[in-house]
């Protein structure tokens, strides 16, 4: 009889230790060959031309916006239903976020939402697109305009926040090979982890070169290049006041081991999600997220439900009751535009009614690769019991 289901459980029993040992024995603990290997294999996986490993997805987003030329006083579209990192990086550059609403069923920015926002704000030239929960947003549509078409037509650059979306696909393309820049997270609870870490992918050589320079102090050669090329190792130039965002090899070692099993881990989560849909469909008081892509194309990072107005119990009480039954949950997200800093600085910019409706009722249920059928059923039965 199950009494406890954690919110998340990290699977770290592949080659992680072996690769870490290799790094320690190599004597080179910061950015070196393991990081280069991780970048190569990651870009091969998502079929992007370039990949740049950094120490967080937040760093990748910052570097991506910087390389795309976002400047002080610019405005950048971003959904409010996201982690604060997606918006804070806009402020790093002195630019201002313009928060967009999302579709209630998918929790994503849709081409329709974007089209309207572009009409109202023709001066905005950058979009941060979040693939919420691992569900790839509608960048490319078979019929009609996808987000990519709208952006191209209006000269808007896209930076994808794919912190939830590895591995995920849109048609025959991987997320990471579509927008101008894509940023991934390897934070401890993400779909693959390196403890802390991130990756930026792009097909644009200029962006790649800029990011590579800016991730390490604006130095025009990275440390590894300096010690492996035949030019004197002490010689380097600084072309901009860059940042300190490089990924150490110990971190890359963990990432490499995780990358090898990314599809296995994804499939483990997918199986749990299939069971959730089976056991939670048809409950009056619960709105499930609508999945619009093939199950295999979704990264399945989060499984969220929304308690709707028919529910007699509020979200916070519901979470307490689940916790009493040993079930770990979370909330994704308290919208960024409702956070004190953004509220005080920008006020509530426009009606984000779906975002607020989701926020009022949303709960994220446990989801991890090794989750058993018994565990999913325990969570579902407990939910039915609470809502009875
Ligand atoms: C986790 C997360 C980030 C930040 O990732 P870090 O690697 O922790 O910097 C950014 N955006 C979203 C949507 C996230 O969930």
């Amino acid at each position: 009889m199950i009494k406890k289901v954690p919110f998340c459980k990290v699977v770290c029993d592949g080659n992680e230790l072996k690769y870490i040992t290799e790094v320690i024995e190599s004597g080179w603990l910061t950015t070196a060959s393991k990081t280069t290997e991780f970048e190569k294999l990651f870009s091969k996986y998502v079929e992007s031309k370039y990949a740049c490993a950094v120490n967080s997805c937040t760093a990748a987003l910052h570097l991506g916006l910087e390389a795309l030329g976002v400047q002080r006083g610019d405005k950048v579209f971003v959904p409010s239903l996201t982690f604060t990192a997606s918006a804070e990086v806009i402020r790093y550059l002195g630019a201002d976020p313009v928060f967009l609403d999302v579709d209630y069923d998918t929790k994503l920015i849709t081409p329709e939402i974007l089209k309207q926002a572009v009409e109202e704000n023709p001066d905005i030239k950058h979009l941060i697109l979040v693939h919420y929960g691992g569900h790839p947003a509608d960048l490319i549509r078979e019929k009609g305009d996808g987000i990519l078409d709208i952006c191209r037509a209006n000269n808007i650059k896209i930076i994808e926040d794919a912190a939830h979306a590895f591995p995920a696909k849109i048609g025959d393309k991987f997320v990471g090979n579509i927008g101008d820049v894509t940023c991934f997270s390897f934070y401890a609870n993400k779909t693959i982890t390196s403890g802390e870490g991130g990756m930026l992918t792009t097909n644009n050589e200029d962006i790649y070169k800029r990011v590579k320079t800016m991730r390490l102090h604006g130095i025009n050669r990275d440390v590894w290049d300096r010690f492996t090329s035949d030019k004197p190792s002490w010689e380097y130039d600084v072309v901009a006041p860059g940042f300190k965002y490089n990924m150490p090899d110990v971190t890359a070692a963990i990432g490499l081991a995780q990358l090898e099993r990314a599809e296995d881990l994804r499939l483990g989560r997918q199986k749990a999600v299939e069971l959730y849909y089976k056991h939670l469909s048809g409950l009056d008081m619960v709105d499930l997220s609508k999945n619009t892509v093939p199950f295999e194309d979704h990264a399945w990072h989060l499984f969220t439900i929304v308690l709707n107005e028919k529910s007699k119990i509020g979200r916070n009480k519901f979470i307490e009751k689940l916790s009493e039954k040993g079930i770990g949950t979370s909330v994704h997200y308290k919208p960024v535009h409702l956070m004190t800093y953004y509220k005080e600085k920008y006020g509530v910019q426009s009606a984000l009614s779906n975002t607020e409706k989701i926020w009022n009722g949303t709960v994220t249920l446990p989801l991890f690769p090794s989750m058993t059928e018994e565990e999913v059923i325990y969570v579902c039965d407990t939910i039915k019991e609470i809502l009875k």
Side-chain angles (χ1 to χ4, degrees):
M1 193 30 208
I2 294 178
K3 295 230 174 60
K4 219 173 156 65
V5 182
F7 175 62
C8 171
K9 222 189 249 180
V10 177
V11 179
C12 226
D13 54 1
N15 284 322
E16 286 83 355
L17 268 180
K18 180 171 170 249
Y19 296 161
I20 291 172
T21 306
E22 287 170 13
V23 171
I24 307 267
E25 285 174 351
S26 81
W28 197 297
L29 272 62
T30 185
T31 308
S33 62
K34 272 279 186 287
T35 302
T36 309
E37 193 184 341
F38 188 29
E39 290 173 335
K40 270 199 190 123
L41 292 181
F42 196 90
S43 68
K44 194 167 162 207
Y45 200 116
V46 302
E47 296 166 351
S48 68
K49 276 200 190 139
Y50 307 103
C52 218
V54 287
N55 57 13
S56 73
C57 179
T58 308
L61 290 164
H62 183 195
L63 290 167
L65 284 182
E66 200 273 343
L68 287 175
V70 171
Q71 290 179 7
R72 185 165 296 277
D74 286 351
K75 289 180 180 166
V76 179
F77 290 127
V78 63
S80 180
L81 192 74
T82 185
F83 184 55
T84 188
S86 319
E88 80 195 28
V89 292
I90 300 169
R91 295 296 302 135
Y92 287 3
L93 293 158
D96 298 303
V98 171
F99 294 110
L100 298 185
D101 205 6
V102 289
D103 175 60
Y104 178 73
D105 294 321
T106 61
K107 304 177 174 82
L108 297 169
I109 289 177
T110 61
E112 291 71 27
I113 291 170
L114 181 64
K115 218 173 235 172
Q116 196 187 332
V118 171
E119 275 167 27
E120 290 163 8
N121 305 273
D123 54 321
I124 299 185
K125 294 300 166 205
H126 296 90
L127 162 70
I128 296 181
L129 183 68
V130 177
H131 300 294
Y132 180 97
H135 185 181
D138 230 348
L139 273 163
I140 303 165
R141 271 190 179 163
E142 274 179 29
K143 286 201 191 101
D145 284 348
I147 289 171
L148 195 64
D149 300 298
I150 298 169
C151 287
R152 295 287 183 258
N154 293 281
N155 199 20
I156 295 171
K157 302 277 186 230
I158 309 175
I159 173 155
E160 289 167 67
D161 180 338
H164 303 174
F166 180 75
K169 287 176 99 171
I170 300 174
D172 58 357
K173 285 193 167 177
F174 276 92
V175 168
N177 180 28
I178 304 170
D180 298 287
V181 168
T182 309
C183 304
F184 297 90
S185 175
F186 311 128
Y187 180 70
N189 69 2
K190 297 288 159 73
T191 58
I192 69 167
T193 183
S194 59
E196 298 278 359
M199 189 75 78
L200 182 152
T201 64
T202 181
N203 291 324
N204 180 311
E205 191 181 359
D206 292 334
I207 292 174
Y208 170 65
K209 281 186 175 158
R210 179 71 182 177
V211 167
K212 221 176 156 209
T213 302
M214 293 305 281
R215 84 170 159 184
L216 198 70
H217 304 299
I219 289 174
N220 68 345
R221 311 169 65 181
D222 69 33
V223 182
W224 181 242
D225 282 347
R226 281 169 56 204
F227 285 89
T228 51
S229 90
D230 44 16
K231 277 206 190 141
S233 65
W234 53 263
E235 193 187 324
Y236 65 86
D237 191 19
V238 173
V239 294
F243 311 104
K244 171 68 179 174
Y245 282 162
N246 57 306
M247 174 183 278
D249 261 25
V250 183
T251 301
I254 305 172
L256 269 169
Q258 291 267 304
L259 183 63
E260 292 172 348
R261 322 164 66 192
E263 177 54 24
D264 273 356
L265 301 176
R266 195 203 61 76
L267 197 56
R269 295 188 299 272
Q270 179 183 318
K271 286 186 175 148
V273 166
E274 284 168 348
L275 291 166
Y276 270 134
Y277 273 110
K278 180 172 156 200
H279 293 284
L280 292 177
S281 295
L283 291 185
D284 265 9
M285 303 167 203
V286 173
D287 294 336
L288 301 178
S289 281
K290 187 173 154 200
N291 175 33
T292 61
V293 299
F295 263 64
E296 312 74 64
D297 292 355
H298 195 309
W300 298 118
H301 172 52
L302 302 174
F303 189 81
T304 59
I305 62 172
V306 180
L307 294 185
N308 60 35
E309 55 286 344
K310 292 189 197 114
S311 169
K312 283 178 267 337
I313 175 174
R315 185 265 315 279
N316 296 1
K317 192 77 197 159
F318 179 75
I319 286 179
E320 259 174 51
K321 296 235 173 207
L322 282 170
S323 170
E324 281 165 20
K325 296 287 182 181
I327 296 170
T329 56
S330 187
V331 171
H332 296 86
Y333 292 94
K334 177 174 174 182
V336 181
H337 76 286
L338 297 180
M339 298 292 188
T340 301
Y341 170 78
Y342 293 93
K343 221 165 47 182
E344 287 179 354
K345 186 155 177 72
Y346 299 104
V348 175
Q349 295 178 29
S350 59
L352 302 175
S353 56
N354 291 335
T355 298
E356 294 191 17
K357 195 170 149 200
I358 292 164
W359 152 238
N360 285 329
T362 197
V363 182
T364 310
L365 300 180
L367 182 63
F368 45 90
S370 59
M371 198 170 178
T372 64
E373 176 162 10
E374 214 189 350
E375 285 175 318
V376 178
I377 291 174
Y378 176 70
V379 174
C380 296
D381 286 350
T382 308
I383 289 172
K384 289 175 191 166
E385 186 65 34
I386 294 170
L387 294 177
K388 211 159 58 183

mmCIF file of all heavy atoms in Angstrom, residues 56-58 61 82-83 85-86 130 161 163-164 185-187 190 196-197 333, ligand 1:
data_model
loop_
_atom_site.group_PDB
_atom_site.id
_atom_site.type_symbol
_atom_site.label_atom_id
_atom_site.label_comp_id
_atom_site.label_asym_id
_atom_site.label_seq_id
_atom_site.Cartn_x
_atom_site.Cartn_y
_atom_site.Cartn_z
ATOM 1 N N SER A 56 23.607 27.912 -16.570
ATOM 2 C CA SER A 56 22.169 27.840 -16.279
ATOM 3 C C SER A 56 21.387 28.231 -17.520
ATOM 4 O O SER A 56 21.936 28.831 -18.460
ATOM 5 C CB SER A 56 21.790 28.775 -15.121
ATOM 6 O OG SER A 56 21.822 30.125 -15.547
ATOM 7 N N CYS A 57 20.117 27.922 -17.518
ATOM 8 C CA CYS A 57 19.239 28.356 -18.603
ATOM 9 C C CYS A 57 19.049 29.866 -18.527
ATOM 10 O O CYS A 57 18.931 30.541 -19.556
ATOM 11 C CB CYS A 57 17.896 27.642 -18.493
ATOM 12 S SG CYS A 57 16.702 28.113 -19.747
ATOM 13 N N THR A 58 19.058 30.397 -17.312
ATOM 14 C CA THR A 58 18.944 31.844 -17.144
ATOM 15 C C THR A 58 20.097 32.547 -17.862
ATOM 16 O O THR A 58 19.894 33.537 -18.579
ATOM 17 C CB THR A 58 18.959 32.202 -15.639
ATOM 18 O OG1 THR A 58 17.961 31.414 -14.976
ATOM 19 C CG2 THR A 58 18.679 33.675 -15.417
ATOM 20 N N LEU A 61 19.467 32.418 -21.580
ATOM 21 C CA LEU A 61 18.465 33.412 -21.996
ATOM 22 C C LEU A 61 19.088 34.812 -22.059
ATOM 23 O O LEU A 61 18.851 35.570 -22.997
ATOM 24 C CB LEU A 61 17.284 33.403 -21.018
ATOM 25 C CG LEU A 61 16.371 32.171 -21.054
ATOM 26 C CD1 LEU A 61 15.502 32.114 -19.799
ATOM 27 C CD2 LEU A 61 15.485 32.177 -22.307
ATOM 28 N N THR A 82 5.072 31.827 -16.372
ATOM 29 C CA THR A 82 6.394 31.229 -16.528
ATOM 30 C C THR A 82 7.201 31.462 -15.266
ATOM 31 O O THR A 82 6.756 32.153 -14.342
ATOM 32 C CB THR A 82 7.124 31.836 -17.750
ATOM 33 O OG1 THR A 82 8.368 31.138 -17.939
ATOM 34 C CG2 THR A 82 7.432 33.327 -17.559
ATOM 35 N N PHE A 83 8.382 30.863 -15.225
ATOM 36 C CA PHE A 83 9.302 31.105 -14.130
ATOM 37 C C PHE A 83 9.896 32.508 -14.287
ATOM 38 O O PHE A 83 10.098 32.978 -15.398
ATOM 39 C CB PHE A 83 10.397 30.034 -14.127
ATOM 40 C CG PHE A 83 11.337 30.148 -12.964
ATOM 41 C CD1 PHE A 83 10.862 30.162 -11.663
ATOM 42 C CD2 PHE A 83 12.704 30.242 -13.170
ATOM 43 C CE1 PHE A 83 11.730 30.277 -10.590
ATOM 44 C CE2 PHE A 83 13.571 30.344 -12.102
ATOM 45 C CZ PHE A 83 13.091 30.367 -10.811
ATOM 46 N N ALA A 85 12.681 33.708 -14.239
ATOM 47 C CA ALA A 85 13.903 33.844 -15.051
ATOM 48 C C ALA A 85 13.597 34.328 -16.465
ATOM 49 O O ALA A 85 14.354 35.122 -17.036
ATOM 50 C CB ALA A 85 14.647 32.507 -15.114
ATOM 51 N N SER A 86 12.486 33.861 -17.043
ATOM 52 C CA SER A 86 12.152 34.249 -18.426
ATOM 53 C C SER A 86 12.002 35.765 -18.561
ATOM 54 O O SER A 86 12.262 36.324 -19.620
ATOM 55 C CB SER A 86 10.832 33.609 -18.889
ATOM 56 O OG SER A 86 10.695 32.289 -18.488
ATOM 57 N N VAL A 130 7.806 30.388 -24.308
ATOM 58 C CA VAL A 130 7.999 29.305 -23.342
ATOM 59 C C VAL A 130 7.205 28.072 -23.788
ATOM 60 O O VAL A 130 6.013 28.173 -24.075
ATOM 61 C CB VAL A 130 7.525 29.749 -21.936
ATOM 62 C CG1 VAL A 130 7.660 28.600 -20.935
ATOM 63 C CG2 VAL A 130 8.313 30.967 -21.458
ATOM 64 N N ASP A 161 12.367 29.697 -24.688
ATOM 65 C CA ASP A 161 12.687 29.204 -23.353
ATOM 66 C C ASP A 161 12.219 27.750 -23.319
ATOM 67 O O ASP A 161 11.046 27.450 -23.103
ATOM 68 C CB ASP A 161 11.966 30.038 -22.290
ATOM 69 C CG ASP A 161 12.279 29.558 -20.883
ATOM 70 O OD1 ASP A 161 12.681 28.386 -20.726
ATOM 71 O OD2 ASP A 161 12.097 30.337 -19.926
ATOM 72 N N ALA A 163 13.282 25.448 -21.272
ATOM 73 C CA ALA A 163 13.711 24.864 -19.993
ATOM 74 C C ALA A 163 12.942 23.578 -19.678
ATOM 75 O O ALA A 163 13.437 22.713 -18.961
ATOM 76 C CB ALA A 163 13.527 25.874 -18.863
ATOM 77 N N HIS A 164 11.730 23.455 -20.237
ATOM 78 C CA HIS A 164 10.912 22.259 -19.989
ATOM 79 C C HIS A 164 10.935 21.299 -21.170
ATOM 80 O O HIS A 164 10.304 20.256 -21.105
ATOM 81 C CB HIS A 164 9.441 22.649 -19.771
ATOM 82 C CG HIS A 164 9.205 23.608 -18.664
ATOM 83 N ND1 HIS A 164 7.978 24.160 -18.411
ATOM 84 C CD2 HIS A 164 10.035 24.118 -17.719
ATOM 85 C CE1 HIS A 164 8.047 24.975 -17.380
ATOM 86 N NE2 HIS A 164 9.290 24.977 -16.947
ATOM 87 N N SER A 185 17.426 24.050 -19.899
ATOM 88 C CA SER A 185 17.877 24.026 -18.507
ATOM 89 C C SER A 185 18.216 22.607 -18.067
ATOM 90 O O SER A 185 17.502 21.661 -18.397
ATOM 91 C CB SER A 185 16.780 24.566 -17.582
ATOM 92 O OG SER A 185 17.187 24.419 -16.224
ATOM 93 N N PHE A 186 19.302 22.490 -17.314
ATOM 94 C CA PHE A 186 19.649 21.203 -16.689
ATOM 95 C C PHE A 186 19.639 21.341 -15.174
ATOM 96 O O PHE A 186 20.394 20.682 -14.471
ATOM 97 C CB PHE A 186 21.026 20.726 -17.194
ATOM 98 C CG PHE A 186 21.168 20.767 -18.685
ATOM 99 C CD1 PHE A 186 22.251 21.403 -19.281
ATOM 100 C CD2 PHE A 186 20.207 20.180 -19.504
ATOM 101 C CE1 PHE A 186 22.383 21.447 -20.663
ATOM 102 C CE2 PHE A 186 20.324 20.220 -20.887
ATOM 103 C CZ PHE A 186 21.411 20.854 -21.473
ATOM 104 N N TYR A 187 18.805 22.231 -14.688
ATOM 105 C CA TYR A 187 18.591 22.374 -13.240
ATOM 106 C C TYR A 187 18.118 21.015 -12.685
ATOM 107 O O TYR A 187 17.578 20.187 -13.427
ATOM 108 C CB TYR A 187 17.544 23.473 -13.006
ATOM 109 C CG TYR A 187 17.231 23.709 -11.555
ATOM 110 C CD1 TYR A 187 18.173 24.290 -10.718
ATOM 111 C CD2 TYR A 187 15.994 23.352 -11.033
ATOM 112 C CE1 TYR A 187 17.888 24.495 -9.372
ATOM 113 C CE2 TYR A 187 15.699 23.556 -9.692
ATOM 114 C CZ TYR A 187 16.651 24.122 -8.865
ATOM 115 O OH TYR A 187 16.370 24.320 -7.547
ATOM 116 N N LYS A 190 14.818 19.300 -13.798
ATOM 117 C CA LYS A 190 14.400 19.380 -15.198
ATOM 118 C C LYS A 190 14.498 18.014 -15.892
ATOM 119 O O LYS A 190 14.920 17.050 -15.289
ATOM 120 C CB LYS A 190 15.225 20.445 -15.932
ATOM 121 C CG LYS A 190 15.002 21.863 -15.369
ATOM 122 C CD LYS A 190 13.627 22.435 -15.726
ATOM 123 C CE LYS A 190 13.160 23.558 -14.818
ATOM 124 N NZ LYS A 190 13.807 24.840 -14.960
ATOM 125 N N GLU A 196 23.205 21.951 -11.944
ATOM 126 C CA GLU A 196 22.903 23.265 -12.512
ATOM 127 C C GLU A 196 23.505 23.261 -13.908
ATOM 128 O O GLU A 196 24.557 22.673 -14.125
ATOM 129 C CB GLU A 196 23.570 24.395 -11.705
ATOM 130 C CG GLU A 196 23.130 24.522 -10.263
ATOM 131 C CD GLU A 196 21.831 25.286 -10.089
ATOM 132 O OE1 GLU A 196 21.246 25.756 -11.083
ATOM 133 O OE2 GLU A 196 21.392 25.400 -8.919
ATOM 134 N N GLY A 197 22.867 23.930 -14.831
ATOM 135 C CA GLY A 197 23.461 24.010 -16.159
ATOM 136 C C GLY A 197 22.444 24.416 -17.195
ATOM 137 O O GLY A 197 21.232 24.399 -16.946
ATOM 138 N N TYR A 333 2.393 28.515 -12.667
ATOM 139 C CA TYR A 333 3.231 29.377 -11.838
ATOM 140 C C TYR A 333 2.346 30.424 -11.224
ATOM 141 O O TYR A 333 1.295 30.749 -11.765
ATOM 142 C CB TYR A 333 4.275 30.106 -12.698
ATOM 143 C CG TYR A 333 5.324 29.207 -13.277
ATOM 144 C CD1 TYR A 333 5.164 28.680 -14.544
ATOM 145 C CD2 TYR A 333 6.467 28.892 -12.549
ATOM 146 C CE1 TYR A 333 6.150 27.849 -15.076
ATOM 147 C CE2 TYR A 333 7.449 28.077 -13.092
ATOM 148 C CZ TYR A 333 7.283 27.543 -14.353
ATOM 149 O OH TYR A 333 8.242 26.720 -14.888
HETATM 150 C C1 LIG B 1 13.870 26.349 -14.677
HETATM 151 C C2 LIG B 1 13.448 27.389 -15.624
HETATM 152 C C3 LIG B 1 14.307 28.403 -16.049
HETATM 153 C C4 LIG B 1 15.663 28.636 -15.452
HETATM 154 O O1 LIG B 1 16.513 27.558 -15.542
HETATM 155 P P1 LIG B 1 17.889 27.595 -14.725
HETATM 156 O O2 LIG B 1 18.710 26.542 -15.412
HETATM 157 O O3 LIG B 1 17.571 27.253 -13.313
HETATM 158 O O4 LIG B 1 18.470 28.937 -14.889
HETATM 159 C C5 LIG B 1 13.865 29.278 -17.015
HETATM 160 N N1 LIG B 1 12.630 29.185 -17.522
HETATM 161 C C6 LIG B 1 11.762 28.247 -17.124
HETATM 162 C C7 LIG B 1 10.405 28.191 -17.743
HETATM 163 C C8 LIG B 1 12.139 27.319 -16.145
HETATM 164 O O5 LIG B 1 11.261 26.408 -15.716
#
